[in-house]
Amino acid sequence: MTMNNILKSIAILTVALPTFTSCDNYLTELNPNETTTEVFWNTLSDTQSGIYATYAVLRNDYVLNIRQEAWRSDMGWPGYGRPVPQNNDEGWSWYTHLYNYTTDAISRKWDALYTGVWRANQVIYALENRIDREALSAEDQSKWDYQMGQARFMRGLMYFYLSSAFNNGSVVLRKNLIQSTSEFNQPLAPAEEVLEFYRADLQAAYDLLPYTNPSGQAYVGLATKGTAATILATSYMYTKDYDKAEPLFYEVITDKRYGYELVQDLSKMFTTAGEFNSESILEISYSLDQRPDIGTWDDNCMYNRLNSMTTSTVGCLVPAWLVWAYNNEEMDPAVPENHLDGDLNKALRNVSLRASSMVALINDVTTPYYITGNTAEQPNMYGGPKAEWGFGKYKKYTNHDIVTEEKAVMSGKNVVVNRLSDVYLMYAECLLVKNDVQGALNYINEIRYRWGLKLLGTTGKYSSRTYDGKTYSKEEVLHHLQFVERPLELSVEGHQIRWQDLLRWGLLEDDDNNIFKKLSTDEEYEYWTNNFAAVKLDGTPLTDLKRNCTLVKTKPSGNPKTQFINYEYDDAAMNYRKSYNAYYPIPQKEIMNNTAIQK
């Protein structure tokens, strides 16, 4: 039985939680039909079910807010329509930084994360107070340790997300299982206290969890020592404590006991066939199976909706600057896969293998997209004289490799939250901080090698591959990480990866170095649309033209229908203020219901 099937079969556990109101009294009699602490949490089987229920929280779309974070950062154009998107008020408000404490996605994220905290606290409480570890057999003591490691990891992860996302890191710190109104009404804890608390959880998880999950287990996808190490190191990265982040990243990369390796088989990158591959560190398991008690739009459903959220008329489409970057990655001519039919004597592909794996581009004519055709053959994929749709769609969360047409709303495709290439690039940045420029290039080149891209620098361990021949300074390597390697490798992935990068690099300050000002005013990020003579996947001309076009740097001659793309991020630059937008605010609902933080 897989984790999918186990999570289908368990009930969502919300054991004996009183309903708190503004009144002094609350419900004290237990519902005889409700599972309570009097009849549950007495065995390791009970607590294991609690672990599954805690992990199920990750399936809630709002935990990661992938679409909202794409709009909020520099990773997403808000769907149909240019220069102003149509019928997408939510996307436009995120894109222009007009979200606030009443914004629905902010409130839902808060609720989802604290649901995870609550469920983890249930398990921790039961293990510490209902199951006597010392009275267990040696085998069951190992199970107890494993479950405690999982619960501490999930609570630490939830607070890592809360601390990273909300109120400069100052959030409500619920360390124990809530059993009274007074325990619910907690003030905002100082950011440093929250940071110390969740790092202690992650360290405990690291100490308790094995390098790999035990063989013969009936589930896959739960955290290991490597998962805890990665999240803990990432938390150090976000606070620029590079000396503590570096050894943990190095351990994850080099210690063979973890079993992590960069995937070299590109058919296993962002495809169903590649789920839980050797590069996956934390991955959310989904299924198209439905529980009869959960509706299509319920946040506890078994499937994810990112297939639609990243491609529809109100999706997060690839912004022009990123389309240009993907289109212009330098391929290594020495790699056969970069040539048509894998023949070194034939022309190079239109776009890189990395671009083909991650985004659907009009001019990627040789890569199947939804099996029967290429990108240009699919409906609603054009920039057009009015550039209604844009110039690219994200592939990472779609089922383009297994179906000819996306099933509306629902997808059973897993979501990778953390993977090894991110660790490589963060480790490279740690080396760069120590002025080890060549070391940083070596780890960046490991990523580029697997995609068949030109390697950076003058020399390295891959003597048969092509290097770009440049001598890089520390500043140039950092710029490459900021505007090429990390955004192209990790676009719309994980929990706020791009936003946290920008914040750490000082690109979200209220100055001329602000990312939105750069994208709005720098001529480097201005483009013109240009007609593209698209062909079908079989190489024949595409006769039913869908106004296909690409981006160019200079205005095309003799084409009156071209459009100047110089408006992206104008409104974002005008509205962004670090004090208001760098972090989510505490949601209105929490302020209203939690008397300890009412203003």
Side-chain angles (χ1 to χ4, degrees):
M1 180 181 289
T2 66
M3 188 178 179
N4 275 337
N5 293 326
I6 288 178
L7 288 178
K8 277 192 302 181
S9 63
I10 65 170
I12 301 299
L13 302 177
T14 53
V15 177
L17 175 64
T19 301
F20 301 117
T21 70
S22 58
C23 299
D24 292 333
N25 58 353
Y26 53 87
L27 187 62
T28 55
E29 293 186 6
L30 298 177
N31 183 342
N33 298 313
E34 182 182 57
T35 303
T36 73
T37 55
E38 300 304 315
V39 296
F40 203 73
W41 303 119
N42 293 315
T43 69
L44 290 175
S45 177
D46 294 342
T47 47
Q48 186 63 68
S49 294
I51 294 293
Y52 295 149
T54 306
Y55 272 87
V57 169
L58 293 176
R59 286 179 160 168
N60 186 316
D61 295 325
Y62 293 99
V63 166
L64 299 178
N65 267 356
I66 292 291
R67 180 173 57 162
Q68 289 82 1
E69 285 299 321
W71 291 327
R72 180 195 189 199
S73 66
D74 56 351
M75 291 280 108
W77 176 259
Y80 176 86
R82 284 176 176 271
V84 178
Q86 306 298 309
N87 304 317
N88 190 7
D89 292 340
E90 182 191 14
W92 189 245
S93 69
W94 281 94
Y95 179 82
T96 56
H97 303 287
L98 296 178
Y99 46 87
N100 57 46
Y101 78 146
T102 67
T103 299
D104 184 60
I106 290 176
S107 180
R108 291 194 180 206
K109 182 183 182 78
W110 179 274
D111 289 347
L113 293 175
Y114 275 105
T115 297
V117 170
W118 157 248
R119 292 180 186 176
N121 276 338
Q122 284 183 299
V123 176
I124 293 168
Y125 178 86
L127 288 172
E128 290 180 337
N129 297 279
R130 304 297 295 273
I131 301 174
D132 184 356
R133 183 185 183 281
E134 300 307 313
L136 299 174
S137 67
E139 180 181 357
D140 282 348
Q141 285 183 359
S142 294
K143 291 180 180 179
W144 190 101
D145 291 342
Y146 182 67
Q147 291 182 13
M148 180 61 80
Q150 295 293 346
R152 294 289 295 272
F153 170 77
M154 281 300 293
R155 187 173 68 178
L157 183 71
M158 296 294 99
Y159 271 114
F160 171 56
Y161 289 172
L162 284 161
S163 174
S164 301
F166 287 91
N167 197 40
N168 289 73
S170 174
V171 296
V172 178
L173 193 55
R174 296 192 169 106
K175 300 180 180 181
N176 303 301
L177 185 63
I178 300 171
Q179 300 188 73
S180 68
T181 309
S182 61
E183 291 176 352
F184 175 81
N185 292 322
Q186 296 283 337
L188 297 174
E192 291 302 321
E193 183 180 348
V194 177
L195 189 70
E196 181 180 355
F197 179 74
Y198 79 70
R199 281 180 176 166
D201 268 348
L202 294 173
Q203 182 65 54
Y206 174 85
D207 294 337
L208 288 167
L209 292 175
Y211 286 94
T212 59
N213 281 313
S215 61
Q217 293 294 310
Y219 50 82
V220 291
L222 300 192
T224 64
K225 186 183 293 291
T227 319
T230 298
I231 302 303
L232 182 57
T234 304
S235 82
Y236 288 127
M237 196 75 178
Y238 288 176
T239 56
K240 300 183 182 181
D241 197 341
Y242 300 104
D243 288 339
K244 290 184 178 178
E246 180 190 335
L248 285 169
F249 286 142
Y250 183 74
E251 178 183 312
V252 170
I253 292 169
T254 62
D255 194 324
K256 299 303 181 183
R257 289 174 292 182
Y258 289 122
Y260 297 133
E261 292 181 349
L262 291 176
V263 171
Q264 303 300 325
D265 180 354
L266 302 187
S267 69
K268 293 185 178 180
M269 293 299 294
F270 307 108
T271 63
T272 303
E275 291 180 346
F276 294 115
N277 62 40
S278 63
E279 192 166 325
S280 176
I281 294 175
L282 178 61
E283 183 166 336
I284 305 172
S285 179
Y286 286 92
S287 170
L288 281 175
D289 297 322
Q290 298 183 56
R291 282 174 40 184
D293 58 321
I294 293 180
T296 300
W297 296 103
D298 194 300
D299 291 333
N300 295 309
C301 64
M302 301 297 298
Y303 51 84
N304 82 69
R305 294 169 284 225
L306 288 172
N307 59 324
S308 173
M309 288 180 174
T310 56
T311 59
S312 69
T313 59
V314 292
C316 51
L317 304 186
V318 189
W321 82 269
L322 196 56
V323 168
W324 178 262
Y326 274 123
N327 266 328
N328 288 276
E329 286 202 284
E330 285 195 274
M331 292 174 277
D332 186 347
V335 176
E337 291 80 7
N338 284 334
H339 295 262
L340 300 179
D341 301 322
D343 187 342
L344 288 171
N345 295 313
K346 292 188 176 182
L348 287 170
R349 296 163 46 87
N350 290 56
V351 301
S352 72
L353 293 167
R354 176 156 66 180
S356 291
S357 292
M358 300 191 178
V359 292
L361 301 169
I362 286 293
N363 50 315
D364 186 3
V365 298
T366 59
T367 303
Y369 186 52
Y370 291 101
I371 301 176
T372 59
N374 57 27
T375 303
E377 292 180 79
Q378 301 302 327
N380 300 327
M381 274 302 303
Y382 49 82
K386 296 183 180 180
E388 286 96 341
W389 280 82
F391 314 98
K393 292 186 178 183
Y394 289 110
K395 285 184 174 181
K396 292 182 176 180
Y397 304 111
T398 64
N399 299 283
H400 62 275
D401 57 314
I402 57 173
V403 299
T404 58
E405 184 179 5
E406 200 74 56
K407 186 175 182 180
V409 181
M410 298 182 293
S411 173
K413 189 174 183 178
N414 286 2
V415 170
V416 179
V417 185
N418 297 92
R419 58 189 178 94
L420 190 60
S421 63
D422 185 18
V423 173
Y424 267 70
L425 295 177
M426 286 190 286
Y427 182 66
E429 188 177 337
C430 289
L431 294 178
L432 199 60
V433 169
K434 293 171 59 177
N435 297 312
D436 184 358
V437 174
Q438 187 57 51
L441 288 175
N442 290 343
Y443 280 91
I444 293 170
N445 280 338
E446 291 294 333
I447 307 297
R448 297 180 67 81
Y449 174 86
R450 66 103 167 266
W451 293 117
L453 297 167
K454 274 190 180 180
L455 305 182
L456 307 181
T458 57
T459 187
K461 75 175 185 178
Y462 297 110
S463 58
S464 64
R465 297 293 287 270
T466 306
Y467 288 79
D468 64 9
K470 298 178 183 178
T471 300
Y472 285 87
S473 67
K474 176 180 177 180
E475 292 72 24
E476 287 170 331
V477 177
L478 179 59
H479 187 272
H480 177 87
L481 280 169
Q482 292 172 339
F483 295 99
V484 180
E485 213 62 48
R486 285 190 65 79
L488 270 64
E489 179 68 20
L490 302 165
S491 56
V492 298
E493 287 187 45
H495 181 264
Q496 294 191 332
I497 285 178
R498 182 59 173 170
W499 191 262
Q500 293 299 325
D501 283 349
L502 295 171
L503 198 59
R504 178 174 76 258
W505 294 327
L507 296 175
L508 291 175
E509 301 297 318
D510 296 323
D511 57 25
D512 291 338
N513 205 37
N514 178 273
I515 185 64
F516 307 115
K517 288 186 178 180
K518 284 179 174 290
L519 294 172
S520 173
T521 60
D522 287 5
E523 292 183 3
E524 178 185 356
Y525 302 109
E526 293 180 348
Y527 315 94
W528 289 88
T529 62
N530 188 40
N531 288 346
F532 177 70
V535 297
K536 297 180 181 179
L537 188 61
D538 62 11
T540 60
L542 186 65
T543 55
D544 55 333
L545 294 177
K546 296 178 172 63
R547 294 181 286 180
N548 296 307
C549 68
T550 55
L551 296 172
V552 293
K553 280 291 187 181
T554 57
K555 183 178 182 179
S557 60
N559 184 1
K561 294 183 178 180
T562 60
Q563 185 178 9
F564 191 30
I565 310 298
N566 68 335
Y567 48 78
E568 284 196 351
Y569 298 99
D570 286 355
D571 292 285
M574 179 178 64
N575 292 334
Y576 176 83
R577 298 292 183 274
K578 183 179 180 181
S579 59
Y580 292 101
N581 301 120
Y583 291 87
Y584 295 169
I586 302 299
Q588 180 186 46
K589 184 165 62 174
E590 181 70 22
I591 295 172
M592 292 176 63
N593 293 335
N594 184 348
T595 58
I597 62 171
Q598 287 180 2
K599 295 180 179 180

